[in-house]
Amino acid sequence: MVEPYLKIRNFTEELCQPLAKEDYVIQTMADMSPAKWHLAHTTWFFETFLLKKFQKNYKEFHPKFHYLFNSYYNGLGEQHPRTKRGDLSRPTVGEVFEYRKYVDVAMTELLKKTDGDDSNFSFILELGMNHEQQHQELILTDLKHLFSCNPLYPVYSSQKISTVHEIAKMDFVSFEQGLYQIGHEGKGFGYDNEFPSHQKYINGFKMASRLVTNGEYLQFIEDGGYSKHELWLSDGWNVCQRERWEAPFYWNEKDGEWLNFTLNGNVKVDLHAPVCHISFYEADAYASWAGKRLPTEEEWEVAARSKPIKGNFVENKIYAPIPINGQKDEISQLYGDVWEWTQSPYVGYPGYKPSEGCIGEYNGKFMSNQMVLRGGSCATSNSHIRSTYRNFFYPKLRWQFSGLRLAEDL
Amino acid sequence: MVEPYLKIRNFTEELCQPLAKEDYVIQTMADMSPAKWHLAHTTWFFETFLLKKFQKNYKEFHPKFHYLFNSYYNGLGEQHPRTKRGDLSRPTVGEVFEYRKYVDVAMTELLKKTDGDDSNFSFILELGMNHEQQHQELILTDLKHLFSCNPLYPVYSSQKISTVHEIAKMDFVSFEQGLYQIGHEGKGFGYDNEFPSHQKYINGFKMASRLVTNGEYLQFIEDGGYSKHELWLSDGWNVCQRERWEAPFYWNEKDGEWLNFTLNGNVKVDLHAPVCHISFYEADAYASWAGKRLPTEEEWEVAARSKPIKGNFVENKIYAPIPINGQKDEISQLYGDVWEWTQSPYVGYPGYKPSEGCIGEYNGKFMSNQMVLRGGSCATSNSHIRSTYRNFFYPKLRWQFSGLRLAEDL
Amino acid sequence: MVEPYLKIRNFTEELCQPLAKEDYVIQTMADMSPAKWHLAHTTWFFETFLLKKFQKNYKEFHPKFHYLFNSYYNGLGEQHPRTKRGDLSRPTVGEVFEYRKYVDVAMTELLKKTDGDDSNFSFILELGMNHEQQHQELILTDLKHLFSCNPLYPVYSSQKISTVHEIAKMDFVSFEQGLYQIGHEGKGFGYDNEFPSHQKYINGFKMASRLVTNGEYLQFIEDGGYSKHELWLSDGWNVCQRERWEAPFYWNEKDGEWLNFTLNGNVKVDLHAPVCHISFYEADAYASWAGKRLPTEEEWEVAARSKPIKGNFVENKIYAPIPINGQKDEISQLYGDVWEWTQSPYVGYPGYKPSEGCIGEYNGKFMSNQMVLRGGSCATSNSHIRSTYRNFFYPKLRWQFSGLRLAEDL
Amino acid sequence: MVEPYLKIRNFTEELCQPLAKEDYVIQTMADMSPAKWHLAHTTWFFETFLLKKFQKNYKEFHPKFHYLFNSYYNGLGEQHPRTKRGDLSRPTVGEVFEYRKYVDVAMTELLKKTDGDDSNFSFILELGMNHEQQHQELILTDLKHLFSCNPLYPVYSSQKISTVHEIAKMDFVSFEQGLYQIGHEGKGFGYDNEFPSHQKYINGFKMASRLVTNGEYLQFIEDGGYSKHELWLSDGWNVCQRERWEAPFYWNEKDGEWLNFTLNGNVKVDLHAPVCHISFYEADAYASWAGKRLPTEEEWEVAARSKPIKGNFVENKIYAPIPINGQKDEISQLYGDVWEWTQSPYVGYPGYKPSEGCIGEYNGKFMSNQMVLRGGSCATSNSHIRSTYRNFFYPKLRWQFSGLRLAEDL
C-alpha cells in the first residue's frame, strides 16, 4: 500500500505547486480553510489514527499540532476553533511540509511492515486516503474562494479550461417504479454513511440526460427568477433577499456582461458549461421555474447505476435499475462536472450505525440540516467517485462546485 | 356549517378569557406572536380567502388589516414583519374583537346561503377552521412563553393540572418489515402535506409503548447528558453550548430543586408526566443516551394506525400495519400529551403538489430545515388530530409542547 | 412640599390620559421604555430613596417591584434588563396606578411630618421631582416612537400644533473672549453634573439668534448632504450609511412629499419649525455644510445667560457674559423648542464629584461617549429648565426632540 | 531630505526582519492590519500625495494599489474595506517590497531636485515621514496581536527586555492654577490636531511622578477591581462584563501565576514595569479605586513641558507651567514607556481647522467617541514624540501599548 499512499500524498502537494507562501495561510470565510491547514490536517489524520495507534514508539512531530490540526473530533480533545484557522502564521508553510515528510517516512515504514490482514488498520488507511482526497478537493474549492476575494483576481492555473462549444438536447430518461436496493453493497471502500444497503420503494420517475447549463440558468435569471418568491422555499427566499443573490456565487457583472471567476481567472460565462456554485435553494428554485423538480438521492443512484463508472467500486448487480425502453447509458455528466444537489436531506440510512470510536464522528454527527449531493465535480479525484457516494452541505452554501440536474415524476 | 364554524371561533375567544388587555399585545421572541395577532390573523384568513372571494359586495373591515395580519402569503402582497408583531398597540384588543364579530356576522350570512356543493369553498372553509385550531394551540404556547419571561410568573389558569401518580413500564411493541401505505387516503380533511398517499418500505422496528417521562429525562441530565458531546448531533451540540442548555426549556432550578414553569405557574417537576419543551436535538441526544433512536415519521404513523383514534378521520384499512404477535392497542399517549419529534426531516411526500394559488404557500414552502413531529399535545384540539398529521418545527425550537418517544430496530 | 409633589405626580398621569391600556406596555427599541415602566419607575424612586429611608415602618408595595423598576442603580442590586422592559404584561396598568396611589399616600404623610430642615431629605425630594419630570419628557418621546412603528399611525393628541408661518432671519450675535464662570452657582436645584461652578477661558464667538429650521435642513438634504462624506465625522458617516439615513428620524416620503410623524399624526413638514429628531452627527454635518460649527456647551451657557429665563433658577450675576455691542436678548428659541446638540462631549466639570451613595449613579457613570445638549424641548416641563442644565445622549441617537443652533468663531 | 526619508523608510523594513512571509499577511481582528498592508500603505502615501502631484510623468506602480492601499481617504475614492485587509494573499510580500523600492527610487529623485522652498511639499513630506513612523508603531502593535492569537506563542524578538528591578516611590507633583497656553506653537512639525495654540484655564492639580506599575495594578485585580461596578463608567462596565475582562489584555493565567504575552514571548508579569494594554475604562476604574483620577490632556501637557524632551520639537517658552516649590523635572516615564490615557475626549482645539484637501481627512474626521492619550510608548520612535502630541483611540481598545498615570486636584 506504500505506492497508492504516496501517490495520494504527493498529489496533494502537486496541487499546491502554483502557490506563493502567502496563499497558504489566509481564511476568507468560516467555511473555508487555508491550504496550509489542509496540508497539516490530512497529515494529522494519519499521525493520529494510524501512527499513534499502530507504530510502536512513534513520537509525535509537535506537541501542539494535535490541538491545532484536529478538525472536529471532540473525542480526541479540544480543537483550535474552526473560524480561527486563518489566525495562524506559524507553523510556517515550510514547517508543515516538514511535518508531512516526517509522517510520510513513518507511514512508509509502517505500511511496509504491516500485512493487509488487520482489517481495522486497512479500513483506517483507506479512510485516511479518501479523507485526503476530500481535502484535495477542498484545497481547490477554498483557493478559489481566497482568490475571488482579491480585487487583483489571481490566477491559480493558467492552463486554460476549454470552452464548451455545443451541448446535447436535454432528454428525460424514464425509470420504472419499484423496490430498489440503495446504498453500498460492501465491495470496495465506502464511508459509513453509504451503509447499510437497504430497500427503498421508488415511484416511476424521469431523470434529465444532462446537467443544467449556464445558458439555461441565465434564462432563469433574465426571467426574474431571483425576485419571484413563489419559486423559492421560504428559508431560501430569506437568504436570497438578505444576501442579495442575483446570480451564481462567482458570477460578476462588468459592462453589462456576466463574467465568472474561475481558477483560470475572471472569464466570460461559458453558456454550454454546467451551471456551478449555486446553493440548494437556487437549484430548487430553478427546478420550480423549469416546471420540474430535483431528484431524490435514491433516484439519482438508480439512474447512475444504469451507467457503468470506472472507479474502485465493483458495480453491484443484485437489483435492477431499469430505464424504460432500454434508454440505458443515455445519462451523461454524472461524475467530474459538478456536485448535483438532490432534494434529500442528509440522514442516516435505515439501520445506519456510525463507525466505532472517535472515527465515528466522521459523518454521523452531521446528519441534520444538510442536503445530499451526488456525483462529483471537476475538483474531485476520479478514483474518489462512486454511485453510492453521499456528499452533503448546508442548503445555503455556494462555494462548492455544485450544480443541478432536473427530474420529474413519470 | 354555521355551528361548527362558530364553535371553533368561540373557543378561540374562550381561551382568552383569563387575559388582561396587557397580555394580548407583547411579543417576547420572534417565534411567538401576541394573542391579539392570533385573534386578528385567523379572522383575516376567513376574510381574505372566503369573504372577499365568495361574498358579493363584501367590504373589508379596515384597509390596513390586510397588511397587518397577513402572516406569510407573499402572493397576497407585503406583510408587516413577523418580528414586529409586538410593536403594535393599535388596533386595540377591543377593536380586534369587533373585527372578529364583523367577520363572523358576514361568515354566518355566507355560510347560510352557500350549499356544500362548491368543493373549493368547502375545502377552504375547513382549512380555515383547522387553521384557527392551529392558532388556538399557538395562543397557549405563546402565552406560556410570555408569562415565563415575567419574574412575577403570572398564572394563566388556576385550574390545577393533576399530578401523575404512576406510570406504566415502557414496553417496545414490534412491527413487521414491509411495504406500507403512508399518508392521507382522502376521506375527511387533511392538509396538502399529508398527500399523496404512497408506499414506503419499512424495516422491522419496535416502538415504545409510551412517552419518555420527566423522571427518565432527569436521569439523562444527572448523568451529564448535556455535557457529553458524543450524544449530540454537531449542530445540536453547538446550539446546546451557545445557549447553555442544561434542562428542558421551562425548567428552572430553585434551592437545588427543579421547577417547571407551566400555565399553572411555576411548579415542581412532575416526574411521571411526559418530558416536554425539548428541542429535536435534545430528543435525539436522549435517545442516543438511552441506546435507542427516534422513530421515523412513517414508523410512527404505522404504529399509530394500529390504534383507533376518535376524530374526523375515518381510519383507512387498505394496508395493514400489523404489530407482531397481536400487540395491537398497546401503544399509549399518542395524542393529547406532547408533540413527538421524529427523525424525519420535513419534505414533500413523493408526488407532493402544493395547493393551487396563494393557499399553496400554507405548507410547501417550509419544506427545508425542519423536522416532523407527530401526535398532538395537551394544547391541541381533539378534533384537530389524526394519524397522518404532520407538524413541523426547526430542530432547535423548544417553546412548543414537544417531547419524545423511543424506537429501535427490530 | 405636598402640593408641588402632587402637582408633578399628577401631571405624569395626565400625560397618559389619551392612552389605551395596550399603549402602556410595548417597548419598540432598546432606548425607549413602555409608559407603564416610567409610571412605576418614578414611583419606585420615591419609595426607594425616601420612603424606605425616612418613613418608619414603611412596607413596600410589592417585593418584586424593587427588581422590576430599578433602572440602573447597581448599588441597589440587580435589575430587570433594560431591553426586556417590554416583556412584562404584568403588573397590569391598573396595578401600577395602584402602586402610584399607595406611594403618593405614604409620601403625603411623610412630607407633612417632615420639616424642611433635613437638607439630604430635601435634596432627594427635589431630585425625585426633577427625575419624574425627566420621565414625563421620556414618556412623550417614547410614545412617539411607539406610535411611529405602527402603520396605522396612531395620534397621541388631536390638539393641533399650529403651523409656524414665518421665521426671523438668522443673525449671529457676538460674544467677547474672556474668562467666564460656567456651571451652577448653588442657588436652586441643580444636578450634580452642573457643579462645581468653575472658570473657563472662551475665545470670542458668534451664536445664531435662532435654531435651524426644517426648511433650511431640507436644503442640506436636497444638496446631497447625506451623501457627501466630507461633511461627516467618520463614525457618523459609518452609521449614516449603515442605517441608510436620508432625512430626520420621523420624516417619511409620500408621493414625492416629505411628511413628518408627530404626536398629531403624520403631517406635512413645517418648513419654519426647528428641525428635530436629528443625531449629533447630522447636526455636525449640517453645520459643516453651512460653513459654521456647533457651539460648545460653555458658549451656549454664556449666550443663554445673557437672556433671562423664567424658572426655578435665580440667575447668577457674578460673571458677565456680555454680547458685544449690546445685542442682549437677541437670542431666541433657547428653551421649549428642541434640545440643542453642542460639540462638547459629556464629561465631569473640573473638580466634579458625584453625589454620595447609590444616588451617585444618577449622572456620573454616564460620562463617556455621550454629547451634551442644552436648552430644552417642547416635551420638557417649563419648570425643569435652566441655563446650566446639561442633557446628554449618544451621538447617534435620534428619537429625542433634538435639533441644532449654529455658531462660529468671532 | 533624502537621508532622513530613507532612514525612516529603511527602519520600517528593519522592523520586519524577524518575520516569515506568512507573518505578513494575516489580519486577526478589525483593528489591526497585516504588516504587508502597512508596508504598502505607507508607500502609497508618498506615491499619492507627493509623486503623483509633484513628479512629472510619474507612472504609478500598479493601477489597483490605489484602491487596495488607501486607508480611509474618501476624497480619493473607494477603498478596499478595512476588515478585509487580511483577505489578500496577493500582492506577495516580495511584490510589496518591490513597490517600496520603486517608490523610494522615485522619491529620491524627486527629493534631490526639489529645494525646500515649497512649503506645501515640505509639509506633506514631513507628514508622510511621521505617518510612516506611526505605522512603524502599528506594525509592532499588530504583530503582537497576531502572535498572541497563536497557541504556539511565536517570539518576535529574542533580544530580551530586561526586568525592572526596582521602582521609585510614586510622588505627586503640584502645579498651580492659572491660564496656560496649550498646543503646538508652530516651530517644528506638528499634526493639525495640535493646533491652534490656545489658552486654557486649569485648576491647581497634582500629577504622579511615574506610571502605575503591573504590581500596583495587580492589587486592583486582587481587590476585585474587575467586579466592583462602582469603580466603572457605565459603558466600561458593560464591555468589561460582556468581554469578561479580568486583567490587562495580554495577561494569561497559568498554574495560578500571571503571565504576560510580549514580543519576547509569554513571560512572567514584571511587577515594576508599567501596566500596559489596558483600555481607558480600566485606567479610569483603576484611578477610581486608587482614590485619584486620570489627568486631562492639558494637565499632562503642562506637566510634561516642565521637563525638557529631546526630539524634533523646540520647546516653547512663552507660557510657564510652573510646578509649585520648584519640583521641576521630577516627573518621569513621560515618553517611551506606554501611551497614557487621559480623561479628555478627543475633540478639536478651539479654532481648529483640518488641513486643506484630502489630507484633511488625516485627523479631523475622527474627533468623536475617542479619548486622548499622551506621551509615547516603547514602540514609538523617539523622534516622533513631543509634548503636544495627541494620540487617540476608542476607550475600549486594549491592543495598544497603553497604560496610565494618576492625577488629583490640588
Side-chain angles (χ1 to χ4, degrees), chain B residues 147-155 261 265-266, chain C residues 36 62-65 67-69 80 88-92 95:
Chain B
F147 287 157
S148 78
C149 292
N150 194 322
L152 301 177
Y153 286 141
V155 171
F261 181 73
N266 209 18
Chain C
K36 194 178 75 174
H62 191 290
K64 284 279 180 102
F65 283 15
Y67 171 82
L68 286 178
F69 301 120
H80 188 70
L88 307 173
S89 61
R90 312 291 178 91
T92 62
E95 286 159 353

Side-chain angles (χ1 to χ4, degrees), chain B residues 37-323:
Chain B
W37 188 88
H38 288 298
L39 289 168
H41 166 66
T42 48
T43 306
W44 167 90
F45 194 94
F46 288 111
E47 185 179 54
T48 302
F49 291 110
L50 288 179
L51 290 173
K52 286 190 181 172
K53 294 206 175 141
F54 296 93
Q55 178 72 312
K56 230 179 238 173
N57 302 323
Y58 176 75
K59 193 177 162 303
E60 64 181 356
F61 182 74
H62 191 291
K64 283 277 180 103
F65 283 15
H66 187 60
Y67 171 82
L68 287 177
F69 300 120
N70 175 1
S71 50
Y72 53 64
Y73 296 86
N74 293 318
L76 296 168
E78 266 198 290
Q79 309 108 45
H80 189 70
R82 181 189 179 94
T83 55
K84 305 282 185 192
R85 289 178 186 166
D87 280 2
L88 308 173
S89 61
R90 312 291 178 91
T92 62
V93 173
E95 286 161 352
V96 165
F97 275 96
E98 281 170 39
Y99 178 38
R100 292 184 66 87
K101 180 149 220 144
Y102 178 88
V103 162
D104 284 350
V105 167
M107 278 295 296
T108 301
E109 199 183 321
L110 178 63
L111 289 171
K112 277 182 182 156
K113 76 181 182 205
T114 312
D115 54 25
D117 290 354
D118 183 332
S119 68
N120 186 26
F121 179 88
S122 298
F123 168 68
I124 296 180
L125 174 62
E126 210 157 8
L127 183 64
M129 295 194 304
N130 276 275
H131 173 256
E132 181 128 2
Q133 287 180 310
Q134 289 184 308
H135 283 276
Q136 288 165 0
E137 188 170 338
L138 284 167
I139 284 171
L140 292 178
T141 314
D142 292 353
L143 284 171
K144 187 166 180 176
H145 192 268
L146 169 68
F147 287 157
S148 78
C149 292
N150 194 322
L152 301 177
Y153 286 141
V155 171
Y156 168 76
S157 162
S158 53
Q159 189 187 327
K160 292 286 173 211
I161 300 157
S162 54
T163 304
V164 182
H165 290 296
E166 61 182 320
I167 185 81
K169 183 172 155 296
M170 189 187 291
D171 287 322
F172 282 83
V173 184
S174 302
F175 292 83
E176 280 176 355
Q177 65 176 3
L179 203 53
Y180 287 88
Q181 195 73 18
I182 297 296
H184 198 296
E185 289 291 328
K187 288 180 192 140
F189 177 78
Y191 289 108
D192 62 2
N193 62 12
E194 299 170 51
F195 297 90
S197 173
H198 61 283
Q199 287 182 294
K200 171 94 182 178
Y201 187 86
I202 299 175
N203 285 344
F205 67 97
K206 297 202 225 172
M207 184 72 78
S209 58
R210 61 164 174 78
L211 298 169
V212 170
T213 65
N214 283 322
E216 287 158 352
Y217 197 84
L218 191 55
Q219 291 175 44
F220 166 75
I221 296 173
E222 291 174 348
D223 191 43
Y226 280 94
S227 52
K228 293 186 170 165
H229 63 81
E230 63 270 27
L231 300 172
W232 295 73
L233 285 161
S234 181
D235 287 350
W237 183 240
N238 289 343
V239 67
C240 171
Q241 303 241 69
R242 193 174 61 237
E243 304 191 1
R244 300 172 194 224
W245 290 349
E246 47 184 31
F249 191 41
Y250 287 119
W251 288 29
N252 52 98
E253 214 163 359
K254 201 181 162 179
D255 308 330
E257 186 182 42
W258 282 112
L259 300 182
N260 191 7
F261 181 73
T262 71
L263 291 170
N264 274 187
N266 209 18
V267 300
K268 251 181 91 161
V269 165
D270 182 351
L271 296 178
H272 295 313
V275 66
C276 191
H277 294 293
I278 57 172
S279 64
F280 165 77
Y281 296 126
E282 287 162 294
D284 182 75
Y286 177 88
S288 293
W289 174 80
K292 312 288 179 185
R293 61 171 174 82
L294 298 179
T296 65
E297 63 166 321
E298 292 89 355
E299 288 170 344
W300 193 96
E301 188 171 324
V302 164
R305 293 227 202 155
S306 70
K307 187 177 166 61
I309 162 184
K310 290 176 194 73
N312 65 343
F313 182 66
V314 179
E315 200 62 39
N316 159 15
K317 297 292 179 198
I318 293 173
Y319 77 98
I322 306 173

Side-chain angles (χ1 to χ4, degrees), chain A residues 3 8 20 39 100 238 257 309 332 347 362:
Chain A
E3 199 187 346
I8 281 174
L39 289 168
R100 291 184 67 88
N238 289 343
E257 188 182 41
I309 162 186
S332 68
V347 294
Y362 201 102

